[in-house]
Amino acid sequence: MTDAAAAPPETRRSRLVVLAGPTAVGKGSVAADVRRSHPEVWISVSATTRAPRPGEQDGVHYWFVDDDQFDAMIERGDLLEWAVVHKAARYGTPRQPVEQVLAEGRSALLEIDLQGARQVRETMAEALFVFLKPPSWDELVRRLVGRGTETEEERERRLVTAREELAAEAEFDVAIVNHEVHAAAEDLVALMLQSPTTL
Ligand code: 5GP
């Protein structure tokens, strides 16, 4: 068995890891936990047209842009992938920082929705696709309601999306069940370490 962490630099390969899963499964929380516990893992900061939630900082949680700025990013080819999520706002992954990190031989983590993951598969099929899933449907609903950050209408819309998204597990290389955020984050980092790469 290869010990990736101990491999000499010339045998290391950079790798793109895509974390997706249904809405409210906890992707954002898992990514935040990885950011806290594993600062060596580079995590992409997406651009979005949605308004910041309380406490969210530009350039840290997202790049908050308006529609014209997002259009310009698309036109310039600045986005690795982008999608309209929950029929509400556009989200996209800035291409340049990801390419730079991979060129440096480090791994990059994208936390994106299913549509975005499918686009990345088209262009970077060698990436590792990780599906984060809830312990059950009831638990997913409980988390969505419990979060309390969305309106009733918004919640309904997200539940419809979530049902479709849950069915997509088979498209992924591996699944992690999010019983508890920190444990799921550690599972994710362990997977990244198992790959023939370093972080
Ligand atoms: P939220 O508005 O709750 O922060 O995120 C809503 C959804 O957008 C989440 O499912 C999240 O994974 C997704 N998302 C965040 N950034 C991106 C991105 O750059 N591209 C795509 N396709 N989805 C994203």
Side-chain angles (χ1 to χ4, degrees):
M1 205 175 114
T2 314
D3 181 349
E10 62 274 15
T11 67
R12 295 174 187 173
R13 283 199 287 123
S14 59
R15 186 169 213 182
L16 187 59
V17 178
V18 178
L19 179 68
T23 181
V25 71
K27 296 189 295 292
S29 303
V30 168
D33 191 279
V34 171
R35 195 178 283 119
R36 255 194 318 275
S37 307
H38 294 276
E40 73 279 16
V41 177
W42 185 85
I43 305 178
S44 166
V45 178
S46 299
T48 183
T49 58
R50 87 148 160 74
R53 296 190 185 119
E56 284 184 334
Q57 287 171 269
D58 193 41
V60 176
H61 301 93
Y62 284 104
W63 297 106
F64 295 100
V65 299
D66 62 24
D67 274 316
D68 288 346
Q69 289 170 311
F70 204 94
D71 285 343
M73 291 173 102
I74 295 171
E75 271 165 36
R76 288 194 302 260
D78 285 353
L79 299 176
L80 192 60
E81 58 74 36
W82 70 272
V84 178
V85 181
H86 310 304
K87 299 190 174 73
R90 291 186 288 176
Y91 297 79
T93 304
R95 178 193 303 278
Q96 196 273 337
V98 175
E99 288 182 347
Q100 185 179 329
V101 164
L102 294 177
E104 286 168 3
R106 302 173 62 200
S107 286
L109 177 62
L110 310 187
E111 183 260 290
I112 58 178
D113 90 318
L114 184 61
Q115 308 166 77
R118 285 176 176 145
Q119 289 173 46
V120 176
R121 190 185 280 291
E122 292 289 306
T123 52
M124 299 172 112
E126 71 285 2
L128 178 69
F129 292 86
V130 181
F131 190 78
L132 190 67
K133 59 191 237 182
S136 67
W137 172 254
D138 287 349
E139 177 59 21
L140 186 64
V141 174
R142 201 186 63 74
R143 287 179 193 178
L144 192 53
V145 173
R147 190 157 73 174
T149 47
E150 288 87 21
T151 62
E152 178 66 36
E153 190 192 348
E154 173 71 5
R155 213 155 48 220
E156 284 303 317
R157 196 158 54 199
R158 288 185 177 217
L159 277 176
V160 171
T161 309
R163 271 223 183 271
E164 293 164 8
E165 289 175 334
L166 263 187
E169 183 183 341
E171 297 171 31
F172 283 72
D173 297 317
V174 60
I176 292 175
V177 181
N178 186 15
H179 292 288
E180 193 272 318
V181 170
H182 184 64
E186 290 300 316
D187 286 351
L188 179 62
V189 173
L191 268 177
M192 294 177 85
L193 281 169
Q194 265 173 30
S195 67
T197 184
T198 57
L199 294 172

